[in-house]
Amino acid sequence: MSNEIKKSVKTDLYEHHDYYAIDELLTEDHLLARDAVRQWVKQEVSPIIEEYANKAECPVHLFKGLAEVGAFGPSLPAEYGGGGMDEIAYGIIMQELERGDSGIRSMASVQGSLVMYPIYKYGNEEQRKKYLPKLGSGEFIGCFGLTEPDHGSNPAGMVTNIRDDGDSYILNGAKMWITNSPVADIAVVWAKDQEGIIRGLIVEKGMKGFSAPEIHGKWSLRASVTGELVFEDVRVPKANLLPNVSGLKGPLGCLSKARYGIAWGAIGAALDCYDSALRYSKEREQFGRKLGQFQLTQKKLAEMITEITKAQLLVWRLGTLANQGKATPAQISMAKRNNVAMALEVAREARQMHGGMGITSEYSIMRHMMNLESVVTYEGTHDIHLLITGMDVTGFNAFS
Ligand code: TGC
Ligand code: FAD
């Protein structure tokens, strides 16, 4: 942590918004998890996040706190470093984190859904025991390498590859846009074997020929660190291959888990923008009246809370299906696409409603808005999710 970045006096004024009494659908455990994470965000994230975002620096010290509030793999079994809770608890935790900042939710999404989940789901017992407790406690930071410089929306085209060499594989290639890669201890990497079949490997920091340079110049997710993964004849022991999956369904299965969390998370960003716009409308006066007394302002606020409420109901139902093991990838795509677009729209409106103040770091809105420009792109773009829904309802594949 930079010495110059200290907790500022900025107070998080966020109040709870539950227009359709959705809290009544939640259990005591859900509410306890929500309140604990909300409190942690208010104390540990909100006071510092604007400064970290301004400096484009990741608050890596928060990894330990994220672990303590159970943000890493909330729905994975406790004996494997997870939280042992259900899918709705997982969603609510992501919502509270993203209410603070999408980058903080990203830290948890990657660690829990894209690193711990594949090791738990596709790994053997030895791998689970070796890595999951350290990841769950925040002692290890993980990252997930699927996207390549020339293969983003179409990961099936990846060129990163492994060659069999005795008791090791030789890994070559490069991954791009990898959240947490420069600070990660391990990377779950997807690569093609000599038959062209996609396999997952655990690559450890310090392996010869492996580097993870940071990508600079992002105007979005500035408090999250993003980098590349470069593999030049990296010798990876065969013991690091995830034995229980092959093919694109491996990484896509992890993405389903993470996209589900994002569908919940985006609501948090929207709620924070709505909360700020509502407060500002009740305080700020122009033409001798509060902004909230103008019909146009009321229309904006009414539409925001309507869309937020619809999104909340969508993920609550999705969570119920997920708890029953019935949520389909296409249903998850619909929720990710709808809720992120909704949050982006709410952020843009809220930004305007704060006038000039809306572009400053005095308020969280511009930061949320810029963050959401990444969220709408990563984990499958807005249009890719539209095509997944289109394919699901028509039966026709528009990708190929
Ligand atoms: P396709 O032939 O449709 O599928 C291949 C196999 O995968 C299965 N499958 C899934 N399984 C689980 N979950 C899903 N969501 C799945 N989608 C598909 C499918 O049944 C099939 O299985 P099998 O047994 O028949 O082999 O594959 P395709 O090549 O046609 O691709 C389809 C497409 C375009 C939808 C897919 O490639 C896609 O989703 N592209 C978007 C790529 C993407 O989302 N990348 C994200 C990278 S990671 C990231 O952004 C992290 S950001 C982290 C953060 O900071 O929060
Ligand atoms: P492209 O695939 O080149 O798409 C460009 C545009 O073309 C998009 O608008 C897309 O919708 C459109 N398009 C593409 N194909 C079609 C089509 N068939 N029909 C219509 N339109 C199409 N990846 C990881 O593996 N791990 C990570 O941790 C990770 N973290 C990320 C963090 C950040 C901040 C960002 C920005 C990205 C991250 N990504 C990560 C990568 C992310 O998943 C990709 O950026 C995303 O999947 C899109 O790929 P692309 O950027 O190559 O865009």
Side-chain angles (χ1 to χ4, degrees), residues 249-287:
K249 63 176 180 294
L252 290 181
C254 308
L255 292 180
S256 275
K257 197 91 178 133
R259 290 166 176 173
Y260 167 86
I262 292 174
W264 281 86
I267 297 172
L271 278 166
D272 201 48
C273 294
Y274 168 76
D275 178 77
S276 187
L278 182 61
R279 188 172 307 105
Y280 198 74
S281 303
K282 289 178 181 174
E283 289 169 359
R284 172 88 173 160
E285 287 186 13
Q286 286 295 288
F287 301 98

Side-chain angles (χ1 to χ4, degrees), residues 1-214:
M1 176 175 163
S2 153
N3 288 334
E4 289 163 45
I5 296 178
K6 301 251 167 58
K7 279 192 188 182
S8 71
V9 289
K10 196 169 172 202
T11 310
D12 183 341
L13 299 171
Y14 180 75
E15 286 171 16
H16 189 53
H17 303 282
D18 181 22
Y19 200 74
Y20 256 48
I22 294 168
D23 280 1
E24 291 177 16
L25 301 171
L26 304 177
T27 65
E28 203 175 318
D29 283 352
H30 297 150
L31 295 173
L32 281 172
R34 198 223 14 235
D35 292 348
V37 178
R38 183 171 299 174
Q39 199 52 33
W40 181 79
V41 166
K42 283 199 174 210
Q43 278 173 9
E44 303 297 328
V45 177
S46 302
I48 61 162
I49 195 68
E50 298 293 349
E51 290 179 70
Y52 274 88
N54 262 322
K55 290 178 181 261
E57 191 173 320
C58 177
V60 280
H61 67 282
L62 292 181
F63 265 93
K64 281 271 162 31
L66 280 164
E68 277 160 22
V69 293
F72 297 153
S75 58
L76 293 179
E79 66 264 37
Y80 292 113
M85 291 185 280
D86 71 0
E87 299 297 337
I88 292 182
Y90 161 42
I92 287 171
I93 290 173
M94 296 303 118
Q95 180 178 299
E96 289 306 317
L97 293 179
E98 196 146 1
R99 213 272 304 161
D101 189 80
S102 301
I104 303 297
R105 197 267 308 133
S106 256
M107 286 157 86
S109 294
V110 171
Q111 185 90 345
S113 298
L114 299 181
V115 181
M116 291 171 68
Y117 176 75
I119 294 173
Y120 167 68
K121 188 82 180 163
Y122 311 136
N124 57 32
E125 202 52 28
E126 204 176 315
Q127 293 166 339
R128 289 167 160 193
K129 287 198 174 120
K130 180 170 178 192
Y131 297 108
L132 292 180
K134 286 185 174 161
L135 289 161
S137 67
E139 186 185 339
F140 268 15
I141 298 175
C143 69
F144 175 88
L146 179 65
T147 305
E148 299 190 351
D150 294 329
H151 301 94
S153 296
N154 179 27
M158 70 173 66
V159 293
T160 297
N161 61 85
I162 47 172
R163 177 167 49 82
D164 198 317
D165 191 44
D167 55 5
S168 307
Y169 293 107
I170 306 299
L171 173 66
N172 278 289
K175 299 288 175 180
M176 180 78 177
W177 294 117
I178 308 305
T179 301
N180 293 340
S181 77
V183 296
D185 299 285
I186 64 165
V188 169
V189 176
W190 301 93
K192 281 183 179 163
D193 68 13
Q194 282 154 293
E195 282 78 49
I197 297 167
I198 294 172
R199 302 303 307 260
L201 301 121
I202 303 164
V203 180
E204 296 180 13
K205 186 176 174 175
M207 284 181 171
K208 195 160 171 279
F210 172 36
S211 59
E214 185 171 348

Side-chain angles (χ1 to χ4, degrees), residues 53 78 119 188 196 219 254 273 300 315 319 346 368 387:
I119 294 173
V188 169
W219 287 114
C254 308
C273 294
K300 289 183 204 302
V315 289
V346 167
H368 282 307
L387 294 174

Side-chain angles (χ1 to χ4, degrees), residues 204-266:
E204 296 180 13
K205 186 176 174 175
M207 284 181 171
K208 195 160 171 279
F210 172 36
S211 59
E214 185 171 348
I215 295 172
H216 294 283
K218 302 193 326 267
W219 287 114
S220 174
L221 287 183
R222 287 172 62 78
S224 167
V225 59
T226 316
E228 300 171 52
L229 296 172
V230 182
F231 312 109
E232 290 170 327
D233 287 327
V234 182
R235 183 171 288 278
V236 183
K238 282 189 174 165
N240 286 29
L241 182 86
L242 296 174
N244 299 326
V245 79
S246 59
L248 194 58
K249 63 176 180 294
L252 290 181
C254 308
L255 292 180
S256 275
K257 197 91 178 133
R259 290 166 176 173
Y260 167 86
I262 292 174
W264 281 86

